[in-house]
Structures are given as structure tokens and as C-alpha cells.
Amino acid sequence: MSWTQQEVRELKEGRYMLIDGEPCKIINISTSKPGKHGEAKSNIDAVGIFDNRKRSIVHPVKHKVQVPMIDKRKAQVLSITGDEVQLMDLETYETFQLPIPEEYKGQLNSGEEIMYMIAMDRRKITKV
């Protein structure tokens, strides 16, 4: 289990949540006032971490949602092969391969340290 539960009213912009099983970064939250017989609702706009798709969802503020456990780590670039890079985690010394994101193509060099994140058993390069 790589997620926890949190109420919608505890979420903030820049944090993460799961929408349709996909970890997403929250870019906007707007909350309406409670009605005569209802309760306040939040409209959440988020962007998928791995697929960059925009998603919107509406929930009551007391509704519990899933929040992914995000692990940010450092790794060293071992080699670059085409559109993939081989990395070694600097804590566990585990080696693995990741695709190079479009914004970092041509910026990676062997021996450099980079930041990457692990969310829902998937990895992505976040900073060079």
C-alpha cells in the first residue's frame, strides 16, 4: 500500500492526490459555500505526474481521498543509451533504467547527480 487517506479540506495546491488511480499534482482548489441542505464542495484541478493529463474532480470537503506516498531520492547517471538513462540510487545502490523526459534531453551527462521521485511503484526524473 503506497497511499494514505486524507480529507479533501486538508489538501493544498502543490500537494499530490490519486485521481482514477493515477498520482496527480494539485494545481487549483476552489471550495463552494454550503447550501441550505447540502455541504460545501471542493472543485480540484490536477495534472498527472506520469502522463501530464489534466483532471478535474468535485468532492464534498469531508470526503476522504487517497494521497500517494511520494519518495524523492538522488541518483547518479551511469550511462545514457538513446532515450533511456541508467541510474544508480545513492542510498540503496540499486541500478535501474528510466526514459529521459523531453525537458531534460541533452542535459544529462555520465557521473552527474539527479533527483527522481517514486510514486505508486513508478519512477520519474524530476531535477537535473
Side-chain angles (χ1 to χ4, degrees), residues 21-52:
E22 184 72 27
C24 299
K25 185 173 186 172
I26 299 169
I27 54 173
N28 186 25
I29 296 179
S30 57
T31 304
S32 65
K33 290 197 277 186
K36 188 173 181 181
H37 300 291
E39 60 182 301
K41 292 187 176 48
S42 286
N43 186 3
I44 301 168
D45 295 323
V47 175
I49 296 172
F50 297 106
D51 61 2
N52 289 328

Side-chain angles (χ1 to χ4, degrees), residues 73-87:
R73 297 184 173 193
K74 287 185 179 180
Q76 182 178 9
V77 176
L78 297 178
S79 67
I80 301 167
T81 313
D83 288 343
E84 288 205 335
V85 62
Q86 185 177 20
L87 301 169

Side-chain angles (χ1 to χ4, degrees), residues 30-113:
S30 57
T31 304
S32 65
K33 290 197 277 186
K36 188 173 181 181
H37 300 291
E39 60 182 301
K41 292 187 176 48
S42 286
N43 186 3
I44 301 168
D45 295 323
V47 175
I49 296 172
F50 297 106
D51 61 2
N52 289 328
R53 283 185 45 214
K54 188 173 181 185
R55 295 174 169 86
S56 293
I57 197 163
V58 177
H59 281 304
V61 292
K62 292 182 181 176
H63 185 78
K64 291 201 182 271
V65 293
Q66 297 173 341
V67 177
M69 305 277 251
I70 305 285
D71 192 9
K72 295 182 179 176
R73 297 184 173 193
K74 287 185 179 180
Q76 182 178 9
V77 176
L78 297 178
S79 67
I80 301 167
T81 313
D83 288 343
E84 288 205 335
V85 62
Q86 185 177 20
L87 301 169
M88 178 181 68
D89 188 289
L90 292 176
E91 288 180 25
T92 63
Y93 303 110
E94 171 192 8
T95 60
F96 53 92
Q97 288 193 327
L98 288 178
I100 301 173
E102 288 293 323
E103 64 263 23
Y104 299 125
K105 287 192 176 174
Q107 296 181 19
L108 296 174
N109 298 314
S110 293
E112 274 187 337
E113 284 188 15

